[in-house]
Amino acid sequence: MKSALLSLALLLSGTLAFAQSKISPEGQLLLRQAAQESKANGAAKKSGSSEVVKVLVTLTPGATADDFADYNVDCKIGDKYVLIDMPLDQIEEMSERDDVKYVSFGAKSELYLDKAHAVTGVDVVHAGGSGLPKAFNGEGVIAGLYDTGIDIGHSSFRSDDGSSFRIKRFINNVEQKTYNESNMSSASYDYATDTHATAVLGILAGRSGISGSYGEFASGESNPRVSTGEIPFVGIAGKADIFIGAGSLQTNNILSTCQKIAEYAKAENKPAVINLSLGHVMGPHDGSTSFCKALDEIAKEVPVFVASGNDGDRGCSITKTLTASDNKICSTIEPNSKEFTRTMAIYADNDKALRFRVGIFSRVERYFLIESDVNSSKTITANIDSSDDFEMCFGSYFTSDSKIEVIKGVDGDSGHYIIYVKFTIKKDDDTNRNGFKFIGFTIEGDAGTKVVATTDGSFENANIAEVFQGGSSDNSINDNATGLNTIAVGSFITRTKFVSAAGFGYQDSSKPTIGDIAGSSSYGYSFDGRTFPDITAPGHLVVAPLSSYYYSNQGMNDGNICAKASANGRYSYWDATSGTSMACPYAAGVACLMLQANPLMKPEDVRKLMLESATTDSHMTDNKARWGAGKINAVEAVKKALAFDAAVGKIYDDQNLRLIVTPDGSRTYNVFLAGAQRFTATLYNMSGVAVKNITIAGNEGTFDASDIAKGIYVLEVKTEDAHYTQKVALR
């Protein structure tokens, strides 16, 4: 067995090329940091005492999760992926196994509602209007998400009478504890410093019928006032059951919760929807990362909605197809900042090597004082005593703790050539006081290679356009949203003003136009020609639940919020918030309504019908790429779901027949189909398997399900030219 010291020392030496490793670049940087800390402390950590991290293991063909029984397996995803909780100092040895193709540490994601209801038709669906056979509110569907900043006890997440929790499972990754219905009352929150999860869950599944006080405009949008009564700010699927994971935003924690939501839904025999209002801009933007491919496996079972991101107004990307006469990208990150820590990811659309150089540029001389080829994975330090010319110059203008860490080579999972760079830069006050010396970089490659460079900062031309290329927002899409099976959601504007619970009116100072795309809503495209987002939903100044813990932590008052209500011995609050984080649960909530209407639909059916039913209008004349299929239309989406036959993939026209199912007892039902001369009635479990079928002559008969196990089922009634479905609960 290799010792942990040897494994870490190899990384520390800077000679281990990425092409020789099956460990993701984020993982290599983490291992390198651990090695440096061990060296600084004078000794390596003992095996078994290292920090435990969750890694995503991609299996080689023929390998199974059972082959890893000796490890602490968290869960498996599909047939190719296993999540394992593992000490840091054991990961490299594990990666050398023949049954391991790739080990991904995952990236750190970032966190990214009624006027909106009227625009999208959700209010019509909630009321059962526009020809719908009844009101839809998500009942019988599981609304799932992973996020940060949850207030479990908010009134929005309780039953109608407030006596019980609608949250059936809560995975708190801060405590490493899972709460269920028996101990949910003892759960509080993951972080008091955030409220994001509370808002997102409230939009997705916040209930109606909560009384309190709220700010509103008395008439038009000119007379702000405080009113009392039922809080008007309600979510989309207010009757849905809830499964939430919260805490650290590492992508492998996200995957773990998503898989467990899918498993829970299957065990409960109910349809489910997953919302992810989080992500990061860095990546190939083609769904080829381990995270995207594993999430795609989950999305085959449960519809997964992912926010497109909030970088649509930031120069965070550069995309270029290299030619024989123009085979170089030259740029810089935050040249005017005195200090910064930024990460950059560069992807080629093939496995051909890219040349990467870093240099120190002078604004006065207007050229690079010195450049360095970075031919292998290494760390460049600001060392004035180094024998390396670049490090000596680096140390002359930047502090001794400045460094540039580079990982490069062919990605063992996707096959892309990758350069992954972390800049830790601080200008020296004595030798670089005016800040005229800054770091630049160049990327070169073969003609025909397409390069995508992204950063968590901004690419800038430093006002020297003849040398440097600035960044663009054209490929600002959240990399987590680029899978083949997931649904990417952008944001448009339905509100520009709101009123606080103290009666003060507020207006967005940027004065956006209602109906337009939100300026920060991210968009982009992939190497394989797909565009993002897939659809847009309301996400600007949406009023949503606010964490009471965050409210207290921030010292907020009625002037900072939009509504409040007192129940169950505490206050619940609401506030206005913006971003694709808000648009995403809006779309996911509509999917809950669709699955309530037709629980037999598969994720691809939900996606297809939602996109087909989207609305287009004059606001989409410009920047069409930012809209996807258009604006979400809840009424049309639910109607399409009602008419969709999941078994044969056919949409039937409404023949003005009406189905009424009345329970005669706990297991028998009277089935009436107005206008029918003959029909069949089939009972399906939530996996879509028919468990009983009868044929009835005439328009009415009895369906006896006394021999069927307890659970939630779908009763499908069909004539020769029409069909209807209705969910029934056998108790």
Side-chain angles (χ1 to χ4, degrees):
M1 177 186 291
K2 286 187 177 182
S3 69
L5 177 60
L6 176 60
S7 298
L8 294 175
L10 284 172
L11 284 167
L12 180 62
S13 69
T15 61
L16 183 63
F18 184 46
Q20 297 172 320
S21 177
K22 295 189 288 186
I23 299 175
S24 69
E26 299 94 342
Q28 290 192 62
L29 285 179
L30 185 59
L31 291 174
R32 182 182 295 176
Q33 180 182 356
Q36 292 167 344
E37 291 175 353
S38 294
K39 183 177 181 181
N41 293 334
K45 295 180 179 179
K46 295 180 180 180
S47 179
S49 64
S50 178
E51 174 189 358
V52 174
V53 297
K54 194 181 298 292
V55 294
L56 177 65
V57 178
T58 304
L59 306 178
T60 56
T64 69
D66 294 338
D67 298 331
F68 295 81
D70 292 339
Y71 295 96
N72 186 15
V73 173
D74 176 72
C75 64
K76 65 176 184 177
I77 301 174
D79 297 326
K80 294 174 58 178
Y81 304 96
V82 182
L83 283 167
I84 301 176
D85 294 313
M86 177 171 286
L88 200 61
D89 56 14
Q90 297 179 22
I91 291 174
E92 188 177 358
E93 180 186 4
M94 187 270 291
S95 74
E96 295 172 355
R97 291 173 47 140
D98 292 338
D99 50 5
V100 173
K101 178 184 178 183
Y102 193 71
V103 181
S104 174
F105 283 55
K108 179 70 177 293
S109 290
E110 300 175 354
L111 298 172
Y112 278 172
L113 242 156
D114 259 12
K115 290 191 176 294
H117 290 356
V119 171
T120 62
V122 165
D123 54 353
V124 176
V125 177
H126 283 174
S130 192
L132 296 174
K134 66 174 187 176
F136 293 93
N137 47 33
E139 186 174 6
V141 181
I142 296 166
L145 77 156
Y146 191 93
D147 215 295
T148 289
I150 184 64
D151 179 356
I152 292 295
H154 197 287
S155 290
S156 292
F157 313 137
R158 288 183 172 270
S159 59
D160 286 348
D161 62 5
S163 63
S164 61
F165 293 93
R166 288 170 47 230
I167 300 176
K168 305 303 181 182
R169 294 288 187 277
F170 170 36
I171 299 175
N172 187 328
N173 267 318
V174 177
E175 297 178 343
Q176 293 294 302
K177 184 174 181 179
T178 298
Y179 296 90
N180 56 38
E181 292 175 86
S182 66
N183 62 356
M184 193 65 66
S185 59
S186 65
S188 56
Y189 59 90
D190 55 332
Y191 297 114
T193 53
D194 212 309
T195 185
H196 194 266
T198 307
V200 170
L201 181 58
I203 297 168
L204 173 61
R207 71 176 177 93
S208 61
I210 303 170
S211 295
S213 59
Y214 56 93
E216 66 170 354
F217 288 104
S219 61
E221 290 195 346
S222 58
N223 298 307
R225 70 178 183 186
V226 177
S227 298
T228 58
E230 186 171 325
I231 303 290
F233 313 120
V234 301
I236 315 301
K239 293 283 189 178
D241 292 340
I242 298 168
F243 188 130
I244 180 171
S248 167
L249 295 180
Q250 289 294 332
T251 50
N252 291 339
N253 287 334
I254 298 167
L255 281 176
S256 175
T257 294
C258 290
Q259 176 62 23
K260 289 168 184 174
I261 292 169
E263 292 171 357
Y264 176 79
K266 186 174 183 179
E268 292 293 309
N269 197 22
K270 293 181 179 180
V273 174
I274 295 173
N275 181 88
L276 298 177
S277 289
L278 35 78
H280 55 89
V281 71
M282 292 190 299
H285 294 175
D286 66 352
S288 64
T289 65
S290 296
F291 174 84
C292 285
K293 289 191 286 189
L295 192 62
D296 269 344
E297 290 296 313
I298 298 170
K300 291 177 182 178
E301 305 297 326
V302 176
V304 178
F305 291 78
V306 188
S308 70
N310 298 325
D311 298 302
D313 52 4
R314 186 165 64 86
C316 57
S317 70
I318 297 175
T319 301
K320 185 173 183 177
T321 299
L322 307 179
T323 66
S325 59
D326 186 8
N327 71 334
K328 181 187 296 186
I329 295 171
C330 184
S331 190
T332 181
I333 296 177
E334 302 188 23
N336 300 319
S337 297
K338 180 179 178 181
E339 60 180 292
F340 63 90
T341 298
R342 294 296 184 203
T343 306
M344 174 174 67
I346 305 159
Y347 287 80
D349 66 347
N350 54 45
D351 60 359
K352 296 180 181 179
L354 297 172
R355 182 184 182 189
F356 182 67
R357 307 183 82 193
V358 292
I360 299 172
F361 195 88
S362 170
R363 292 185 191 271
V364 177
E365 287 86 353
R366 297 178 74 82
Y367 62 76
F368 282 102
L369 302 179
I370 188 170
E371 292 182 86
S372 175
D373 268 314
V374 187
N375 296 316
S376 63
S377 301
K378 65 182 295 186
T379 297
I380 301 172
T381 60
N383 189 347
I384 196 70
D385 299 320
S386 172
S387 59
D388 182 279
D389 290 341
F390 186 85
E391 287 195 356
M392 289 180 63
C393 192
F394 194 18
S396 297
Y397 301 110
F398 302 90
T399 61
S400 60
D401 55 347
S402 295
K403 58 184 176 180
I404 303 170
E405 301 169 270
V406 181
I407 302 292
K408 62 185 305 190
V410 178
D411 178 36
D413 196 26
S414 68
H416 294 297
Y417 192 87
I418 297 178
I419 303 173
Y420 196 85
V421 188
K422 184 176 181 180
F423 297 96
T424 305
I425 304 296
K426 184 177 181 181
K427 295 175 182 177
D428 188 280
D429 285 338
D430 294 327
T431 59
N432 197 5
R433 189 173 304 157
N434 53 22
F436 284 176
K437 311 296 189 300
F438 59 87
I439 299 294
F441 63 87
T442 58
I443 306 163
E444 298 178 60
D446 293 346
T449 296
K450 186 174 183 178
V451 178
V452 172
T454 49
T455 177
D456 54 3
S458 295
F459 295 118
E460 300 183 29
N461 67 12
N463 294 320
I464 309 172
E466 65 272 22
V467 178
F468 296 109
Q469 177 178 348
S472 168
S473 62
D474 286 349
N475 205 8
S476 57
I477 186 68
N478 169 14
D479 193 72
N480 289 355
T482 60
L484 296 174
N485 301 329
T486 52
I487 302 169
V489 185
S491 169
F492 71 90
I493 297 164
T494 55
R495 177 192 291 275
T496 61
K497 300 178 180 180
F498 64 94
V499 180
S500 75
F504 304 130
Y506 294 91
Q507 179 172 330
D508 186 335
S509 59
S510 65
K511 297 183 179 179
T513 300
I514 289 177
D516 277 358
I517 198 77
S520 62
S521 183
S522 292
Y523 57 107
Y525 40 85
S526 65
F527 284 135
D528 56 4
R530 292 175 295 131
T531 59
F532 310 99
D534 295 301
I535 198 166
T536 60
H540 190 73
L541 291 183
V542 179
V543 180
L546 177 79
S547 167
S548 62
Y549 306 103
Y550 180 82
Y551 176 94
S552 298
N553 182 276
Q554 298 295 310
M556 299 175 73
N557 56 49
D558 286 2
N560 306 128
I561 62 173
C562 294
K564 65 180 181 180
S566 176
N568 300 104
R570 53 157 288 169
Y571 272 101
S572 293
Y573 306 99
W574 287 256
D575 196 15
T577 185
S578 299
T580 58
S581 283
M582 311 306 129
C584 190
Y586 205 100
V590 171
C592 289
L593 305 182
M594 295 171 69
L595 284 168
Q596 180 189 2
N598 190 342
L600 294 181
M601 289 194 303
K602 298 177 180 179
E604 60 263 34
D605 302 329
V606 172
R607 176 192 178 95
K608 177 178 181 292
L609 300 185
M610 180 176 284
L611 269 56
E612 285 180 353
S613 61
T615 300
T616 59
D617 59 28
S618 60
H619 293 277
M620 302 173 197
T621 303
D622 298 326
N623 298 318
K624 292 182 180 179
R626 304 186 71 168
W627 290 95
K631 298 176 179 178
I632 197 164
N633 185 322
V635 175
E636 292 305 313
V638 171
K639 282 185 174 180
K640 282 183 175 288
L642 283 167
F644 187 76
D645 188 326
V648 298
K650 179 180 178 182
I651 295 181
Y652 291 89
D653 292 330
D654 186 351
Q655 300 294 319
N656 294 316
L657 302 176
R658 289 294 181 264
L659 172 67
I660 300 174
V661 179
T662 307
D664 289 339
S666 60
R667 300 295 185 85
T668 60
Y669 294 84
N670 178 266
V671 182
F672 172 78
L673 190 58
Q677 297 181 0
R678 180 184 181 88
F679 64 90
T680 60
T682 306
L683 196 66
Y684 292 88
N685 65 22
M686 296 311 294
S687 296
V689 177
V691 296
K692 189 162 187 175
N693 174 272
I694 65 171
T695 299
I696 296 175
N699 63 6
E700 189 171 10
T702 299
F703 194 102
D704 185 354
S706 58
D707 56 338
I708 306 299
K710 294 180 180 180
I712 305 297
Y713 294 83
V714 173
L715 181 66
E716 179 186 60
V717 176
K718 295 178 68 172
T719 66
E720 290 183 356
D721 57 0
H723 101 294
Y724 295 86
T725 59
Q726 184 167 321
K727 190 173 56 181
V728 295
L730 302 184
R731 305 184 188 282

